[in-house]
Amino acid sequence: MQRRAAFDNLWLAGALIAPQLLLVLVFFYWPTVQALYWAFSTQPPFGGANQWVGWQNFEQIFSDSVYWNSVRVSIIFAILSTSLSIATALLMALMVDRQLAGHRVYRFIYFWPYAIAAPAVGLAFRFIFAPDAGFVSAVNQFAPNLWNPALKGWDAMILIVIANSWKMAAYNFIFFLAALQAIPRTLIEAAAMDGSGVLRRARDVQIPLLQPTLFFLLVINITESFVDSFGIVDITTGGGPARATDLMVFKIYSDGFKGLDYSMAAAQSIVLMLLVVALTFIQFRYVERRVHYA
Amino acid sequence: MIERSPLLDALTHALMIVGLIVTAFPIYVVFIASTHDLPSVNQVPMSLIPGNHLVENYAKVWSKSDFGAKMLNSLIVAVGVTVGKVILAAISAFSIVFFRYRLRMVFFWMIFITLMLPLEVRIVPTYAVAADVAEPLRWLVWLFGIELALPPVNLLNSYTGLILPLIATATGTFLYRQFFLTIPDSLVEAAKMDGAGPVRFFIEHLLPLSRNNMAALATIMFVYAWNQYLWPLLITTEQSMATATMQLQKIVPGPLFGQPPIWNEAMAATLMVMVPPLLVVIFMQHYFVRGLIASDK
C-alpha cells in the first residue's frame, strides 16, 4: 500500500526509524539468535567459550520426564483456563449486550480484573484459597485437608486456573462485547421479527457471527497461558507441590536463573518460542482475512 | 429490544449479579483483609466487615519494606515505558508510512515480527544482553573488521535496563501505522502545497489527529509496564531498584520459611499494587478498551 503523496528526505526517514530499529535489534533479534546458539552448545564447567554440541541439549530435555511433566501441566493449564475464561466471558457479554437495566454498571466493572498485575491476582487468590485462612478452607472443617493447594497437586492446579481465568475473562469480555456491538442491530431486529426469542438469536445469529473473535481469543488465551502465567504461578504455588504446577515458562526461569543452566533453559525457550510462533502464525493467517484498512 | 421475557430477564439479572460478585469479591476481600489485625484475618471464614487496623497495617507495610520507594520505582518504569513507547512508535510509524525508501517494508516487518515472541520466552538471553549491552555492538564492530575494545555496559539495576526491553516491541508502531494509513493523501498534498516539510506536517497535522491513538496506547502501555513482574525480578538485585510488584513475593513468607503468612500486611501491599493501574483503567476506560482492541495486543 504505497501512498501517492510521501516525503523523500532519506536522512530524516532513517533518523526517525533508527531508535526503534536499534532497540529491536539489541533486545529482540540479538537475544533470539543467542538463545539459538546456546540451545546448540554447552558451557564447559570450568569456563571458556561455549562448545557446539548439536542436538544434544534437545535430546536431553526430550528424554527428561521432568520436562515432559512441565509440558503436560502447561497443556492442562492452557485447556482448563482457556475454556473457563472464554465460556464465562461469552456468557457475560451476551447478557450485558441485552442492555437490560443496569447493564452499564456491569459493563463498567467486568473488565477491571484485566488491569490488575498477575502477582497481585495470585496473592489475592492465594489468600482466598489458603488451606488455613481465607474462605475456601472452611470446607476443611468437614474433613481435614479436604482442600490444600500446598499439598495436593490438583488443588494447586485449580487455584492457578481460577486465578488466571479471573483475569483473562475480563480481557475476553472486552473483545466479545465489542464484537457483539458490532453486529448490525437490524440483523437482530429482523431475527426478532421472524419470531426468534433471545436464546434462539444468541444461538443462531450472535454466536455464529462471533466466530472470528472466538478464534482470535482462543489463540491469545492459549499463548497467554503459556507465557504470562509466570506471575501467578510464582506467587501462589512456586511450581509445586511436587511440580504439579511447574509450567514451561516457570521451568525455564528456574532452570536458567536458579539452576544457572543457560543451555538447558535456552533449549526449552526455543521449544516454547516455536509453540508460540506456530500459534501466532495460525492467528495471523486467520486474522488477515478480516483486516480492513478503512 | 422490546419484547417480554420476564423469566429470562430475571435469570439474566441474577447471573449478571453473580458475575459482579465474582469480579468484585477478590478485590473486596483484599481490602477487608488489609483492615484486620493478625488473629482476625486468620479466622476461617474471615469476617467480611472492615476491621479497624487499616491505617496501622498500611503504615507498617509502607515503612517495613520501604514500599514508598518501590511504588516510586514502579511509577518511574511505567511512565518511562509509556512516554518512550508513545514517542518511538509515533516516529517509527511516521517513517514507515510517509516516506519513500526501499527498505521501508523490510523495516516494517523487522519490527512487526517482534509481536510474535513475548519477552517471557526469550528471557534468559535478554537478561544476558542487559548484563552487557555492548556485546551486540562489539560483534558488529568485529564483523566490519575494526580493532576496537568496547567496555562492558551493564544495565542491571538501572531504570534504563528496566525500561528499554519493554519498549522493544511492535505494539505501538503497528497501532500508529494502522491509523496513519487512514489519513487521506489529499491532506499530505495540501500540507506540502502550503510549504510544510515532513517535520512540520508531523507536528502540526499528524500529532493532533492522533491524540486518541496516543491516549489509547498510553493507557495500555502504563498498565502493561506497571504490571511487569518477571523482568524486574531478574534485572534488579538491589533493593533500591526493586518495583512494587516484585515486592509482593517478598512480603509473603512462603511455606519454606515455616511460618504462617502475615495476611493482613500482604493484602495491604496487594491493594497498593492493584490501585494505580485500576485507576488508570477506570478513568481512561474508553481509551483502554479502544487501545486493547485496536492493537490486537
Side-chain angles (χ1 to χ4, degrees), chain A residues 28 32 273-274 276-277, chain B residues 113-119 121-122:
Chain A
F28 183 87
T32 308
M273 276 182 198
L274 290 178
V276 172
V277 168
Chain B
I113 281 177
T114 62
L115 273 181
M116 275 209 229
L117 290 179
L119 185 59
V121 302
R122 54 195 156 85

Side-chain angles (χ1 to χ4, degrees), chain B residues 9 48 72 75 109-110 113 117 133 144 154 190 195 225 231 233 242 248 250 274 281 292 296:
Chain B
D9 285 2
L48 284 175
L72 186 65
L75 189 69
W109 281 104
M110 272 178 72
I113 281 177
L117 290 179
V133 212
F144 285 103
N154 185 342
W231 182 243
L233 196 64
L248 289 182
K250 304 203 169 74
M274 277 181 180
V281 163
L292 267 189
D296 267 3

Side-chain angles (χ1 to χ4, degrees), chain A:
Chain A
M1 24 86 266
Q2 176 72 50
R3 299 189 74 92
R4 266 185 305 119
F7 300 102
D8 292 308
N9 190 335
L10 275 186
W11 283 106
L12 187 62
L16 288 172
I17 202 163
Q20 177 84 62
L21 274 185
L22 192 69
L23 274 181
V24 166
L25 282 175
V26 171
F27 290 106
F28 183 87
Y29 286 98
W30 178 262
T32 308
V33 171
Q34 192 147 41
L36 274 170
Y37 174 60
W38 282 350
F40 290 100
S41 64
T42 54
Q43 223 168 9
F46 301 108
N50 276 22
Q51 281 163 353
W52 188 261
V53 293
W55 293 97
Q56 190 189 306
N57 292 328
F58 289 95
E59 281 162 17
Q60 202 172 329
I61 58 168
F62 286 136
S63 60
D64 184 1
S65 64
V66 175
Y67 181 70
W68 284 110
N69 171 63
S70 84
V71 174
R72 190 180 57 92
V73 167
S74 299
I75 292 174
I76 295 174
F77 177 72
I79 293 174
L80 289 181
S81 65
T82 301
S83 33
L84 183 61
S85 62
I86 286 192
T88 43
L90 179 58
L91 184 66
M92 292 300 147
L94 280 170
M95 289 190 304
V96 169
D97 188 54
R98 291 193 61 204
Q99 309 198 340
L100 299 179
H103 75 276
R104 273 170 224 277
V105 179
Y106 299 114
R107 192 183 63 189
F108 178 57
I109 294 180
Y110 283 165
F111 77 98
W112 285 10
Y114 190 66
I116 297 172
V121 173
L123 204 48
F125 278 83
R126 184 171 156 187
F127 172 62
I128 294 168
F129 286 83
D132 44 17
F135 296 90
V136 178
S137 55
V139 300
N140 288 348
Q141 284 164 349
F142 304 112
N145 274 334
L146 196 61
W147 169 263
N148 193 342
L151 293 176
K152 295 185 183 174
W154 274 106
D155 290 5
M157 176 59 83
I158 291 168
L159 169 57
I160 60 169
V161 164
I162 291 178
N164 192 55
S165 306
W166 184 71
K167 186 174 156 80
M168 284 311 287
Y171 177 82
N172 298 339
F173 171 77
I174 296 174
F175 280 82
F176 276 135
L177 192 63
L180 279 172
Q181 286 171 348
I183 296 175
R185 222 59 195 162
T186 48
L187 211 60
I188 308 289
E189 276 160 16
M193 294 275 265
D194 286 344
S196 64
V198 178
L199 294 178
R200 180 81 199 273
R201 290 201 301 270
R203 200 190 61 188
D204 287 342
V205 180
Q206 289 172 309
I207 293 180
L209 285 172
L210 284 181
Q211 251 168 24
T213 313
L214 184 70
F215 187 80
F216 162 78
L217 287 176
L218 264 179
V219 174
I220 290 280
N221 276 258
I222 296 172
T223 315
E224 289 273 296
S225 81
F226 280 145
V227 300
D228 203 35
S229 45
F230 178 83
I232 288 175
V233 173
D234 188 44
I235 216 141
T236 49
T237 65
R243 296 189 179 275
T245 51
D246 192 19
L247 301 184
M248 289 162 90
V249 66
F250 190 78
K251 189 166 153 41
I252 291 174
Y253 165 78
S254 45
D255 286 2
F257 295 100
K258 299 265 164 72
L260 293 177
D261 192 342
Y262 280 13
S263 300
M264 283 299 127
Q268 293 177 44
S269 296
I270 298 293
V271 178
L272 190 58
M273 276 182 198
L274 290 178
L275 257 174
V276 172
V277 168
L279 282 168
T280 318
F281 259 123
I282 298 172
Q283 181 203 325
F284 280 166
R285 269 190 66 89
Y286 196 84
V287 168
E288 202 134 280
R289 272 183 238 145
R290 63 181 180 97
V291 167
H292 308 284
Y293 298 117

